[in-house]
Amino acid sequence: MSERRAWWPFHRRPRAPEAAPPADADADQQDNPSGRGVRILLGLACAVVIAVGMHAIGSILAPTLLALVLVICAQPVRVWLTRHGTPAGVATGAVALTTFALLAAFAGLLLLALADFIGMLPAYQAQLAEFGAQIGAWLQSIGIGPDEVKAVTAGFDPAHFLDFFTGLLGGAFGLVSFGVVVLTMLILMPADAAYAPTLLRQLQPKKPNLVYALSAFARNVRRYMVVTTVLGIVQGVINGIALWLLGVPAALLWAILAFLCSYIPNVGYFIAIVPPLLFGYLTGGWGTVIAIIVIYGVINAVVQSVVQPKVVGNAVALSQTLTFFSVLFWAVVLGPIGAILAIPLTLLGRAVLVDADPRARIWRAAIGDLGETRQLMKADAEQRKSEKRAKDAGHAAE
């Protein structure tokens, strides 16, 4: 036994009697069940308090987190410029200016598309009213009450569309604080990011697991956001061209909407397709509606089900259920920005709560890191096949 202990790398202490857990079992298994329950309840209570607090400061937290994700994505550019002899200050300034230019171009394009949509909306007043009446009649036929029907049909009044988009534009111009926070953070964060590699090396000897978790988080977020952005642009361009060829009004706006919704897994597709379906029906009838569904469905299936998983690989490693819940959770906590940043924010939570603690990493499989699990399932399937073949061979021999 002593020789076995010397060479066997996975040696564990002998099991205690069946009534007690193993000596090296998880500490939670040795605690009083009531104590575990109290800790779980306290943990949930703390999570609720934190979520409520984040929601309360969402007006400054959301732009700060958006700036953080943008800086993480732009960090390799600064590193590349510095490596090729560019002074650190110039490299940081170049990254900040590039980020500003991209955000300004996107904001200008979005405002242009919204202005074009608001300008053409009154031309569809009669068609929207007729479509709303058809929807109201159908709702009444299935037993929906008149008050609910009136609330639904009122949404098809062009005045409500105008009020909504005018309010959106007014809100966009009125939320100066949002822009100020984002722009300020995009100036300060790149400067601080220049010290990040040295700080991580300084922290490595004392907190190696935390350094590992943060480094993996930055790599995974960068890969996910860059890949999603590129594929979202492709997705938006193809959708916009298809809608333009089909004669759907405001094709540019719906292309931008498709691009933004590409960051929202599971839910984004349904958000992006609804407005084009409505105006496609008004301009081309059911044939246009079917064409839009086919085009959006094919593009979404190819991009999000085939291309993106292969390119992103194991960078996300979140289960479908957790991904969907994260979109809902962060949308409630931080609003639309939270829905767009749901995956990066969930990865940040995983890095802090799971990856930074070696004892908690066993839960990675439960939240979506299924690489080893798939191998085990494959091995089990092969074993069952082997057993079945052996059994069939035994029956044949008999």
Side-chain angles (χ1 to χ4, degrees):
M1 178 62 70
S2 60
E3 295 179 357
R4 183 175 182 273
R5 291 173 62 91
W7 65 266
W8 182 243
F10 304 104
H11 175 75
R12 311 186 82 171
R13 296 180 183 178
R15 275 185 173 272
E18 197 63 28
D24 60 346
D26 194 300
D28 286 346
Q29 298 179 5
Q30 301 179 14
D31 292 340
N32 192 317
S34 61
R36 291 201 304 270
V38 170
R39 286 201 302 274
I40 292 173
L41 291 176
L42 287 176
L44 292 176
C46 292
V48 171
V49 171
I50 292 172
V52 172
M54 294 174 68
H55 178 73
I57 62 171
S59 59
I60 60 174
L61 184 60
T64 301
L65 292 173
L66 175 61
L68 174 63
V69 172
L70 292 176
V71 170
I72 290 175
C73 294
Q75 179 71 358
V77 177
R78 190 199 66 78
V79 173
W80 184 86
L81 291 174
T82 305
R83 186 179 301 164
H84 287 75
T86 305
V90 176
T92 300
V95 171
L97 290 176
T98 302
T99 309
F100 292 162
L102 291 175
L103 290 177
F106 176 78
L109 189 63
L110 178 60
L111 293 177
L112 178 65
L114 283 173
D116 177 66
F117 175 70
I118 292 175
M120 67 88 181
L121 191 58
Y124 292 89
Q125 182 173 0
Q127 292 172 291
L128 286 170
E130 181 181 357
F131 184 73
Q134 295 175 359
I135 295 295
W138 176 74
L139 292 175
Q140 287 182 343
S141 67
I142 61 175
I144 303 298
D147 293 337
E148 290 79 5
V149 171
K150 184 178 179 180
V152 172
T153 55
F156 292 95
D157 186 352
H160 287 78
F161 281 91
L162 289 174
D163 291 341
F164 172 76
F165 284 106
T166 303
L168 181 61
L169 288 173
F173 289 119
L175 291 178
V176 178
S177 60
F178 185 93
V180 168
V181 172
V182 171
L183 295 179
T184 304
M185 287 297 179
L186 288 178
I187 294 174
L188 301 178
M189 283 186 179
D192 292 334
Y195 300 98
T198 305
L199 290 174
L200 291 177
R201 287 198 302 270
Q202 185 178 358
L203 191 60
Q204 174 72 31
K206 295 183 178 180
K207 297 290 183 180
N209 292 301
L210 181 60
V211 172
Y212 158 80
L214 295 178
S215 301
F217 162 73
R219 290 194 304 269
N220 293 338
V221 166
R222 191 178 301 122
R223 184 187 304 176
Y224 170 78
M225 292 299 293
V226 171
V227 170
T228 302
T229 299
V230 173
L231 295 179
I233 293 174
V234 174
Q235 199 170 347
V237 169
I238 296 176
N239 289 338
I241 294 175
L243 294 175
W244 177 72
L245 293 176
L246 291 172
V248 178
L252 176 60
L253 179 60
W254 312 138
I256 295 174
L257 180 63
F259 165 71
L260 288 176
C261 290
S262 65
Y263 293 98
I264 308 176
N266 302 327
V267 182
Y269 167 78
F270 299 99
I271 299 175
I273 199 175
V274 171
L277 287 180
L278 173 60
F279 287 92
Y281 175 78
L282 296 178
T283 56
W286 289 109
T288 302
V289 170
I290 295 174
I292 294 173
I293 293 176
V294 171
I295 293 170
Y296 270 65
V298 171
I299 295 174
N300 181 78
V302 171
V303 170
Q304 295 195 2
S305 301
V306 178
V307 179
Q308 190 178 38
K310 289 186 178 180
V311 178
V312 174
N314 203 40
V316 176
L318 298 174
S319 67
Q320 295 296 322
T321 303
L322 181 59
T323 299
F324 179 69
F325 176 79
S326 68
V327 172
L328 302 179
F329 175 80
W330 290 112
V332 171
V333 174
L334 298 177
I337 296 297
I340 293 175
L341 300 179
I343 297 300
L345 296 180
T346 304
L347 292 177
L348 177 60
R350 189 187 70 181
V352 174
L353 299 177
V354 177
D355 295 345
D357 187 354
R359 296 171 300 178
R361 289 178 197 165
I362 60 174
W363 296 105
R364 280 182 60 95
I367 62 178
D369 189 358
L370 301 176
E372 183 178 353
T373 304
R374 291 191 182 99
Q375 294 180 359
L376 291 175
M377 293 175 64
K378 185 177 180 180
D380 291 341
E382 292 294 334
Q383 183 178 359
R384 287 194 296 268
K385 290 180 181 179
S386 300
E387 293 175 352
K388 186 177 184 302
R389 285 195 296 266
K391 186 176 179 180
D392 293 342
H395 288 315
E398 293 178 356

